[in-house]
Amino acid sequence: MIKMTLNNKPVALDVDPQMPLLYALRDELKLTGTKFGCGAGQCGACTVHVNGVAMRSCITPVSAIAEQAITTIEGLADNNGNLGESAVQVAWREFKVPQCGYCQSGQMMSAAALLKAIPLPNDEQIIEHMQGNICRCGTYQRIKAAIKSAATHSTVANSVTTDLAGMNNGVEIFDARQLANKKQGA
Amino acid sequence: MNSIENVSRRGFLKVAGISSGAFVLGINLPISTAQAKSAAALSHELNFFVSIASDSMVTLVCHRSEMGQGIRTSVPQIIAEELEADWQKVSVVQAKANSKYGSQGTAGSASIRNHFTSIRQIGAVAREMLEQAAANIWQVQRSSVKAEKHFVVHTTTGEKISFGELASHAAKLTPPGSKKVKLKNNADFSLIGKDIKLVDLDNIVAGKAQYAQDIQLPNMLIATIVRPPVVGGKVLSFDASEALKIKGVVDVIALKPRSIPVTTNPLSGVAVLANNTWAALEGRKKLKIKWQHGDKASHNSSEFSKKLAKKVNQQGETVATKGDIYNHQYNDKNTLEATYTVPYLNHTPMETPAATAIVNGNKCTIWAGTQNPQWAKRNVAQELGLAKDEHDNIELNITLMGGAFGRKSKADFIIEAVELAKTSKRPVKVIWSREDDIQHGYYHSISANYCKAELTDNGSADYWISRNAYPPIGWLWDAEAKTPTDNQLALGFGDIPFALNNLSIEKHAVDSFVRPGWVRSVACINNGFALGSFVDELAVKAKLPTRQMWLNLLGDDRHVDPNKNNFKYSNYDLDLTAHPIDTKRMKDLINLISDKANVEQKLPENQGWGISFLRSFGSFVAAATKVEVVNNKVTVLEMHTAVDCGIVVTPDRVKAQMEGAMIFGLSIALMGEISVVEGKVQQSNFHNSPVTRMNQVPEMHVHLVESDAPPGGIGEPGVPPVAPSITNAIYHASKTRIRDLPVNKIFTV
Ligand code: FES
Ligand code: FES
C-alpha cells in the first residue's frame, strides 16, 4: 500500500511499486487529465507536481512518491482566479492557447511550477523551463504569452510567496531517477 | 446530405433525453424505420442537427471530427448564424458515425470549404420554421416577422416570441426544402467572422476533455500490440509464457495474419491484454516473437531516395503539357535544373492512436477519435462480417482527437480493438505507444522532384519541366499501383499557375515498401518544397528579388485552367469557377507578405529572408522566414504567413492553424525524417524523431486577408510554403542551398 496526498486528499494505492505514477493516476484512480505522450520523459504531456515541483509522471514509479503531495491538472485550480481556476488556467483561456488540447494539461502544470519558482520569468527562463513540453499543434507562441500574462497577474494577486525561500533561479524538472537517487541519499 | 426533416415527435427522442415539446430537425430518418425499431435501438441513431427546447436552449450537432482545428466551434457557429441563435444559449453535441449526416470525413481541409452552404441551410431551415410558427400565431405573413437573437419579432408591432415558446409550434410544421431557404447576406453576419467562445476550451483547461486514450469502462482490458517490424511481415511463432507471469496480464492473443495490399487493416502481430497499462507494457517486454519479414525487408530509404532522384532526372510519363519542350535547345547559361528530395515523414500526433470496443454477438460499441467515422464503421462491419442492413448494429462514438494530421483517417487501430474485444469477450482499449506510432505509421511518401526552366529576357522563365517520383497512396489498396492518380497530382504539381508557353509535367512509376498516408497537406509538402525552392533559385540566377520572380512568373491577372494543359484537374473537388486559380490573389498575397515582413530590407551578414507561396485546398498562403546561420547553426529568427482563405468563420482558429502550420513546417524542414533500414523504421521516440520545441520557435505573425470569396480550407494550406521559405532563407543567409530535407543533415538546428 503506497500512501500519498493527491490534490489535497489522502490516497492509498495497492499497485506494483514500480508502476509509473501516470498509469496509477489514469488506470487506477481514473484521473485522466494527465496524459501519455511518450512514456519516456521526453514530451511533458504527463507533467504533475510533486511537492510543487514539476515532474514527469510517466517515469516516476509510485514508490518514489510515497508520502509526497501530488497535484494534477484536476487539482491545479487554487480558487484565486476566475471560475476557481489558477492564474495559469485563466491566462490559458484568455489567450485561447489550446488547439487539440492534448498536451495542455502538461503545459499548464509545467507553467504553474515555473511561476511558483520564478514569479516573473524572462523569455530565456520560460524557454528553458518549457522546452521539455512538446506541443505538436504548435501553440508555443500563445503559451509564452499566457505565461507572461499569468506571471503579471499572479504576482499582483499574491505578491511573492514564501515557498521561494532558498530557491534561486534554476527550475529543475526532476525525473524519477533523480528523485530516487535523492531518496537513497537521504 | 440527405434532406432535412422535422423529427420533433419521434418516439426515440425521449430515449435520447430530449424533452417533449422540443423542436428537432433531423435528417431523413424514415418513419417506417423509426416505428419498426425499439426506442432503445434508436437511441444511438439519433441524427438530429438542431434541437430547440421549450426553455430556449439550443442544441446543435457537430457532425465533423475535432482534432484541434476548432471545427466543433465553427460548424455550430455557422448553424447558429443562420438560425439567429444567441451563442450563449447554444450547446454542442458530437454526432456519432451515421451515413445520414452526409460526409463526416474530416480530411482534406474540407469541412468548411465543401460544406459551408449545406451547414448554413440547416440553420436557415430551422429559422424559417420558427418564423413561420410565429407568423401563424400572429396570423400574419411570414414576411412580417423576423428572427433576431433567439426571438422572432413582429416587424410592425415590435412584439416578440422566444425560440423556446415557438418550439412546440415549429415542431408541427413541415420544413421548407433546404435549397429554397434564404441565406443571410454576408454583410449581415453577426457570428461568422467573429471570435466566439470555443466549445471545448473550458474542458481542456480544466483537464476534463475526453480523448480516445481516456476511455474507461468497467471490466475493460488494456491492450498493447507488438506489430511486424516490416510491412507484410508475419508472426512465425511466439512464446507468451514469461509475459503471462506478469501480475495483471490477463491474456496474450495473436492477431489475424493480414496480407498485402494492406488497405486500412491492422498490421497483425501479438497483443498483450492486461488490467492496467503498466502490466500490459511490462508483459510486452517479455514476449518472444519470431518473425518472417517478407520481401519488404529489402528496403533501405537512403538508397531509395537516391534512386528516386535518378529517376526524376529522366523523362517520365506526361501529366500535363503545353507547347514543345523536347525539341527546344536549352541555352545552358540561362538554364537551371534542380532535384529536391523529402524523406518519409510521420504525423506524430501528441495523442497516439487509441480505440475502445465492446463486441457482443453481432453488436458492437466503439469509442475512438477518428477523422472518418463512416469509413471506420464500414471497415468494422466488414471485419465483423455484418450485412449491409446490420451496419447500424455498430455504435461508433467519436471522441476528441489529441491531434491527427491525417493519421486518424485510417481505422487500423479501431479494427484492432474490435478484433481483440471479439476474441477476449471483454471491453478492450488498444493503446499505441509512441514507438508504435513512429514505427508503424502511414508515412508521407519519400519523394524526389525535379525542375528545369530557362530564364527569359523579361525576367521570367519558360520551357519548364516538373517531375516527381514517390510511392503512391493507391498502393494501400492495390499492390500494383505505381503512380499517383490525377487527383493526387493536382496537389501543387499539375496545377502550376505560371504564365508559360512551354511546359511538361511528368510522373514516374515507383515501388512501395511502407504504408503511405496523408500527412497534413499531403503531396503539397514535396511539390510545394520543390516549386518554392526552384522559384528562389531562378530569382538568384536572374539576380532578381524572389518576390519579383514570383510576380513575373505569375504574369497577368487571370484565372488559370490546368485542364488546358491536357491535365484532368480536380481543384480539390471545388468548382473551378467559384474557386479559381486566381493569379491576382496570388500576387497580392506575395506582395503582402513581402511588405509585412519587409523581406527586402538590408540585413546583417549571416542573416537572410526567404519567401514561398502555394495555393492548396482552395486557399492561398505565403510564408516568409528570417534566419541566421552562424558556426553551422541555423537559428530561425522570425516567421510570417499571409493567408487568403476567402470568408473566414472563426478568425482566431484560422490564425491558430497558421501558427500551428508554421511550427509543423518548421519540424518538417529542420528535422523531419523517418528512415528505413532493411524494411524497419529506425526512429522510435522524440529523442531520435524530434519535433519543434519552444526553444526553436521564433517570433511569429499571421496576416489574414479579408475576403468575400467562398471559403477555402485551413487545416493544411499553411504547411506547404513554410519549409521552402526556411531553406530559401538559409540560402540567402549562408549561400548554402538545401535541396534535400531535412536541414539538420547539414546544419545544427
Ligand atoms: S509521457 Fe512524455 S514525458 Fe511523460
Ligand atoms: S494543443 Fe495539440 S499538442 Fe498541444
Side-chain angles (χ1 to χ4, degrees), chain B residues 374-440:
Chain B
Q374 295 161 1
W375 188 17
K377 194 166 158 174
R378 286 196 299 275
N379 285 173
V380 170
Q382 195 180 11
E383 177 67 23
L384 293 174
L386 297 183
K388 196 125 209 189
D389 61 346
E390 292 175 317
H391 281 207
D392 283 340
N393 291 353
I394 301 164
E395 178 184 348
L396 173 49
N397 300 282
I398 317 301
T399 65
L400 296 177
M401 284 178 274
F405 313 114
R407 171 63 183 90
K408 294 172 187 173
S409 285
K410 309 292 195 313
D412 57 331
F413 55 99
I414 299 174
I415 302 169
E416 286 175 342
V418 169
E419 187 183 341
L420 290 171
K422 187 177 171 188
T423 312
S424 70
K425 300 193 170 55
R426 281 175 68 173
V428 172
K429 173 162 74 174
V430 167
I431 50 160
W432 284 48
S433 67
R434 179 58 62 196
E435 289 78 4
D436 295 338
D437 170 64
I438 289 178
Q439 302 192 323
H440 303 289

Side-chain angles (χ1 to χ4, degrees), chain B residues 545-559:
Chain B
T546 309
R547 168 205 327 228
Q548 196 57 51
M549 183 51 78
W550 276 102
L551 300 178
N552 294 352
L553 285 166
L554 286 165
D556 297 337
D557 294 355
R558 67 196 193 290
H559 292 177

Side-chain angles (χ1 to χ4, degrees), chain A residues 16 20 26-27 33 35 37-38 42 89 93 96 98-102 108 127 131 136-137 140-142, chain B residues 68 202 205 211 213-214 216 277-278 346-348 434 652-653 656 659-660 685-687 692-693 695 700:
Chain A
D16 176 351
R26 292 177 55 83
D27 294 346
K35 304 299 187 200
C38 69
Q42 295 173 10
Q89 287 166 303
R93 286 157 54 90
K96 295 184 177 160
Q99 288 185 30
C100 80
Y102 191 81
M108 287 183 281
I127 288 170
Q131 68 184 7
R136 183 64 163 150
C137 295
Y140 297 119
Q141 160 147 310
R142 294 184 191 222
Chain B
D202 288 351
V205 169
Y211 303 85
Q213 286 273 0
D214 299 334
Q216 305 279 352
T277 309
W278 176 240
N346 194 37
H347 310 83
T348 321
R434 179 58 62 196
D652 180 70
R653 289 302 89 181
E659 290 161 10
N685 209 318
F686 290 114
H687 65 285
T692 308
R693 291 178 183 267
N695 57 314
M700 300 195 311

